[in-house]
Amino acid sequence: MSVEVQVRRITANDIRVRKGGEPIVALTAYHAHTAAILDEVVDFMLVGDSLGMVMHGLETTLPVTLDMMILQGKAVMRGARRALVVIDLPFGSYEESPEAAFRAAVRVMKETGCGAVKLEGGQRMAETIRFLIERGIPVMGHVGLTPQAFNTIGGFKVQGRDPHSADTIRVDAEAVAEAGAFAVVVEAVVEPLAREITHAIKVPTIGIGASPACDGQILVLEDMLGLSARAPKFVRRFGQLAEGIRTAVGDYAAAVRDRSFPGEENVYLPKGGALPPKT
Ligand code: KIV
């Protein structure tokens, strides 16, 4: 007799009610295998459009398409059973109108089965966020450094250093929260401002290069694992995976060259058979 254990998946609402409580733990995920590992630990995983850089070696997130997001979203959903999976709406798929955003978000949710979408932008996206939520789509906001605006903000720069930019980010975060977002990513924003926003808005803030006072933190998995060659200042390398891979690949190459791999344990032999002795 097999006993199937039902796992209740974390929802957007479960994240919303964590405001001010135990910090929310999040990481990006793009593959089924890593999603299965993360699933035991994180509250939510984000299929971020950073996959353009991490998986495809692109310079920015701008070329990422809805089909790319859906493909990796499906992979992550196959690995994750417990954590909420949030998928980014990529550049060009949602900015034109609330209706365009709805069509993109519906494709993402129907084709992947994820629990929420994320989109970038503050005040200017508030109407769209409201439109999606009224139609059953949980939305996570994203303010501060919004990488899809790379060309208008002039690069990946820390945000909120001058009073005008600080005011804009404050208003953006409030507008997104007021519109009904269940949480707001605050990216690369100077410390006092991110802390202030966290105290001012009623939904959790998820910091990345922001304040330890945020209600939760997110990092790009490959950055914190030490797999990406370069990472921003706000990343702590919790692992050194690139080194591990380099060593393993070097060991493999040496074993192939000296014929110690495959060994007897890796070869299909006839019953009772053995590999001939090495000459
Ligand atoms: O795409 C992404 O990885 C993100 C995180 C940086 C929050 O949006």
Side-chain angles (χ1 to χ4, degrees), residues 49 53 58-63 91-92 94-95 120-121 124 142 144-159 187 230:
D49 59 357
M53 282 109 114
L58 296 167
E59 289 289 313
T60 71
T61 57
L62 301 185
F91 178 62
Y94 66 95
E95 302 89 330
E120 295 184 7
R124 73 186 165 86
H142 186 155
L145 173 61
T146 47
Q148 293 175 12
F150 179 85
N151 287 314
T152 43
I153 58 181
F156 300 116
K157 292 181 183 157
V158 180
Q159 304 292 305
E187 180 166 356
R230 285 174 292 124

Side-chain angles (χ1 to χ4, degrees), residues 62 69 76 79 153 177 203 213 246 272:
L62 301 185
M69 298 308 302
V76 167
I153 58 181
V203 297
R246 215 166 270 126

Side-chain angles (χ1 to χ4, degrees), residues 1-7 81:
M1 190 182 79
S2 74
V3 180
E4 203 166 297
V5 182
Q6 286 288 332
V7 181
R81 298 174 67 211

Side-chain angles (χ1 to χ4, degrees), residues 28 46 48-50 88 118 142 185 187 208 218 220:
T28 61
L46 172 71
D49 59 357
S50 54
D88 262 344
K118 175 166 83 59
H142 186 155
V185 168
E187 180 166 356
I208 172 159
I218 186 163
V220 170

Side-chain angles (χ1 to χ4, degrees), residues 29-39 45 71-81:
Y30 318 122
H31 326 98
H33 287 167
T34 45
I37 298 169
L38 266 49
D39 196 46
M45 47 190 112
L71 188 66
Q72 297 325 128
K74 283 180 181 170
V76 167
M77 284 298 293
R78 286 184 205 112
R81 298 174 67 211

Side-chain angles (χ1 to χ4, degrees), residues 27-31 34-35 38 46 48 50-51 53-55 219-232 235-242 245:
L27 283 167
T28 61
Y30 318 122
H31 326 98
T34 45
L38 266 49
L46 172 71
S50 54
L51 66 81
M53 282 109 114
V54 178
M55 292 186 66
L219 285 175
V220 170
L221 181 68
E222 284 73 357
D223 287 349
M224 61 80 86
L225 288 179
L227 202 52
S228 352
R230 285 174 292 124
V235 173
R236 182 183 297 171
R237 302 283 206 179
F238 287 87
Q240 297 297 338
L241 234 59
I245 292 175

